[in-house]
Amino acid sequence: MEEIQSQSDNYRSSSSSASSPASRVPSSNFFYLRKPGSLRQPISFEDSPEWDDTDIDVRVEEGGDSINIATTPASPSLSKLNSGSLPSPRLPEGAVIPRKIAGASVAWKDLTITIKGKRKYSDKVIKSSTGYALPGTMTVIMGPAKSGKSTLLRAIAGRLDSSSRMYGEVFVNGAKSQMPYGSYGYVERETTLIGSLTVREFLYYSALLQLPGFFCQKKSVVEDAIHAMSLGDHANKLIGGHCYMKGLPSGERRLVSIARELVMRPRILFIDEPLYHLDSVSALLMMVTLKRLASTGYTLILTIYQSSTEVFGLFDRICLLSNGNTLFFGETLACLQHFSNAGFPCPIMQSPSDHFLRAINTDFDRIIAMCKNWQDDNGDFSSVNMDTAVAIRTLEATYKSSADAAAVETMILKLTEKEGPVLKSKGKASNATRIAVLTWRSLLVVSREWKYYWLHLILYMLLTLCIGTVFSGLGHSLSSVGTRVAAIFVFVSFCSLLSIARVPALLKEIKIYSCEESNQHSSTLVFLLAQLLSSIPFLFLISISSSLVFYFLVGLEDQFSLLMYFVLNFFMTLLLNEGIMLVVATLWQDVFWSVLTLLCIHVVMMLSAGYFRIRNALPGPVWMYPMSYISFHTYSIQGLLENEYLGTSFAVGQVRTISGFQALQSVYNISPDSNSKWKNLLVLSLMAIGYRIFVFILLCLFIGRKISLRKCFKCNRDTTDHTS
């Protein structure tokens, strides 16, 4: 303690001499010191600050279910740091006023989260965190990188993964209960949106996936979400841009991801890093919008890394973390007083959040160590000569013994002494409705994504045109058999390779599914069935167009039934190949590694397909068993050759003739059975189904299993709490 006190005094003296304007501003008016009884007075961050007379009256009614805020007219200057000094933007004429929402109080007590380290569950990420959030307010969890902000947010929302374990209690309206579906919304730091849909379309499809009932009943919900997030001017714009249309800026895209959760009309909204990758103007607009949203009754809990002075003034309460330790929880202005009491006053003209993070971020120790001997014209490079670890211990010790910590404990007791209304689960859309909605949405995306779909179709046409012209004019003589086999092999192999270009589109679909699955908007079976139904028309269009070009340029047997089999065989090959791509994309979740893996798989399958060397002559281990039986090229090419040559004959001289089966014996192995081509088609169909089942298992393991384990863990924890 003597070391802490001495270094704290040293810090206080150096900070005052280097950065505080004590010689210019009377200490009684210094901006970071509050006058007695003036907890809710505004703070100015100007060179010569003066206390305003603007008063904010915040009254939390009995039970904490509503909040009333009354403010006097605010100063037009954005430098006035006050939660009421930034008025919400005026709604345009004719706009729908956001309806009031009955929020819910959230309280967490002694939360400790551990993760699996070298020893099982040995590393503590969060250590005995306590706090609360009230309806109509915005509670912010702030701290440097890797301080446990997102982990604490997920723990409160009940969304920890299976590698984490939580100790402590979370209360919702005074009861220890799991938040049911629809009662809360959770917005991840990085969400995947569908760029080829407009804002209104995207939110409408999200409402169809989330809410039960008829289609017409959900339009009003979508419009409410659009106006709540101030997206009225962007409602009919494409999210990601399309051809000549410009997409939404990053700030508006972030608002769309929040609006997707609002269509459910939750009572609690968790947002992880709402200012992620936003500039200062977009960040301010975002927080003003969220402040207005909170005023309608929502309970907002956010995580923020850093904020400007204006944004800082919009927060109602702050939970300050560093290395999992809670250094402060309380009202925004009280945090400034807390740092001042601990010997870390905020320098004038510096953002409070910058000052907080500067004092508790251990990364600054390296900067001080590098520059401790370097001086500029004004003296030392750094006015802080205290180790961050000592500062963290000082702030933590000061907070634990402060009136702010006692006030939090008192509020927790008040919020948990009696149970309020229980949050009820909202109904879900049926699986049949979700399949129909996802299928229709995917078809709409296919019709607009020219880069992944229509350009892909054009490339198929150009490829088959090239192959067809190279192998055109073969005739039907015995000497053309080998060349015709080569043409079919090149057609199947090269078209299968070209389909790898769809990997980015499939990865985007998987990411969208993962985002919707985490919020229970979809399921694995629904996603796979919808993806299959939406891809069938596009793959069939490619199959019939490419097959027609190749079939007539090469001059295959001129029979309609044979042509239809050729189209069906090629369609099943493409469908099977898409299943392989889904498997690889699910495993890697990366474009580069997925494409590289698929190229290797296709090359190995082509080598073992029986063209470069007859299948019966392949080496037994590996190449014949199992590679030639795993390769879909084998069944596709064999079926197409049987379709072309079984039932035909070739004249050898003037008397002798040989069958098509005999003509192919020295070139490619086929079966003499007339039904063998249908057996090959059946094998392709079974392989296509098998790969889809494999994708289902992988998605359940990588995505669904995490969600189910999280629910199971929370249910077990709730059962243990009730039992004890």
Side-chain angles (χ1 to χ4, degrees), residues 272-285:
D272 192 7
E273 294 283 0
L275 308 184
Y276 188 62
H277 284 171
L278 298 186
D279 56 66
S280 58
V281 176
S282 300
L284 181 58
L285 291 175

Side-chain angles (χ1 to χ4, degrees), residues 1 3-5 7-8 12 327 338 341-344 386-401:
M1 289 301 295
E3 177 191 1
I4 295 176
Q5 183 64 33
Q7 295 201 46
S8 178
R12 185 185 294 109
L327 304 186
H338 168 65
N341 294 339
F344 307 98
M386 184 184 207
D387 290 340
T388 307
V390 178
I392 292 174
R393 291 199 299 268
T394 304
L395 288 166
E396 186 179 10
T398 304
Y399 171 68
K400 288 181 178 180
S401 60

Side-chain angles (χ1 to χ4, degrees), residues 37-56:
S38 60
L39 175 62
R40 305 190 182 282
Q41 293 286 355
I43 293 178
S44 175
F45 285 84
E46 297 177 351
D47 289 337
S48 300
E50 295 179 357
W51 293 101
D52 265 338
D53 293 327
T54 305
D55 291 324
I56 301 179

Side-chain angles (χ1 to χ4, degrees), residues 561-562 564-566 568-569 639 642-643 673-685:
S561 60
L562 300 181
M564 288 297 99
Y565 177 86
F566 191 98
L568 189 59
N569 183 294
E642 290 166 348
N643 183 63
D673 185 7
S674 59
N675 294 323
S676 59
K677 68 177 184 179
W678 298 107
K679 294 178 181 178
N680 285 313
L681 185 63
L682 178 61
V683 171
L684 290 175
S685 304

Side-chain angles (χ1 to χ4, degrees), residues 31-74:
F31 79 94
Y32 57 81
L33 296 177
R34 294 185 310 218
K35 295 188 292 186
S38 60
L39 175 62
R40 305 190 182 282
Q41 293 286 355
I43 293 178
S44 175
F45 285 84
E46 297 177 351
D47 289 337
S48 300
E50 295 179 357
W51 293 101
D52 265 338
D53 293 327
T54 305
D55 291 324
I56 301 179
D57 184 17
V58 182
R59 298 187 304 276
V60 182
E61 296 182 355
E62 187 71 23
D65 289 334
S66 62
I67 185 167
N68 299 321
I69 301 178
T71 61
T72 57

Side-chain angles (χ1 to χ4, degrees), residues 24 31 45 80 119 141 196 203 254 291 296 302 347 410 450 462 474 498 504 535 550 649 682:
R24 294 179 291 129
F31 79 94
F45 285 84
K80 300 294 182 182
R119 292 179 297 175
I141 303 173
S196 53
L203 296 179
R254 192 66 172 151
K291 183 68 176 180
T296 62
L302 323 173
T410 303
W450 62 271
L462 292 176
L474 294 180
L498 184 59
S535 62
F550 175 82
S649 60
L682 178 61

Side-chain angles (χ1 to χ4, degrees), residues 441-567:
R441 188 181 72 178
S442 298
L443 289 173
L444 183 60
V445 171
V446 167
S447 65
R448 294 179 180 177
E449 287 281 1
W450 62 271
K451 182 170 60 175
Y452 293 132
Y453 297 97
W454 299 115
L455 182 60
H456 197 192
L457 176 62
I458 295 173
L459 291 177
Y460 263 104
M461 294 294 294
L462 292 176
L463 177 61
T464 52
L465 183 64
C466 294
I467 297 174
T469 52
V470 168
F471 290 97
S472 62
L474 294 180
H476 293 277
S477 63
L478 184 61
S479 60
S480 67
V481 172
T483 309
R484 200 177 294 265
V485 173
I488 292 177
F489 172 80
V490 170
F491 173 75
V492 172
S493 302
F494 284 23
C495 288
S496 300
L497 277 174
L498 184 59
S499 64
I500 299 178
R502 280 200 64 206
V503 167
L506 295 178
L507 279 172
K508 186 182 294 185
E509 291 181 10
I510 293 174
K511 290 179 180 179
I512 293 171
Y513 152 74
S514 177
C515 182
E516 293 175 341
E517 171 73 13
S518 64
N519 289 335
Q520 304 181 44
H521 301 167
S522 181
S523 65
T524 306
L525 183 61
V526 168
F527 163 71
L528 288 179
L529 288 177
Q531 197 277 335
L532 176 63
L533 293 176
S534 62
S535 62
I536 284 177
F538 177 70
L539 293 179
F540 189 77
L541 179 62
I542 290 179
S543 302
I544 194 168
S545 58
S546 302
S547 298
L548 288 175
V549 172
F550 175 82
Y551 201 90
F552 290 108
L553 282 178
V554 175
L556 301 182
E557 290 292 333
D558 191 10
Q559 293 185 28
F560 181 76
S561 60
L562 300 181
L563 173 62
M564 288 297 99
Y565 177 86
F566 191 98
V567 173

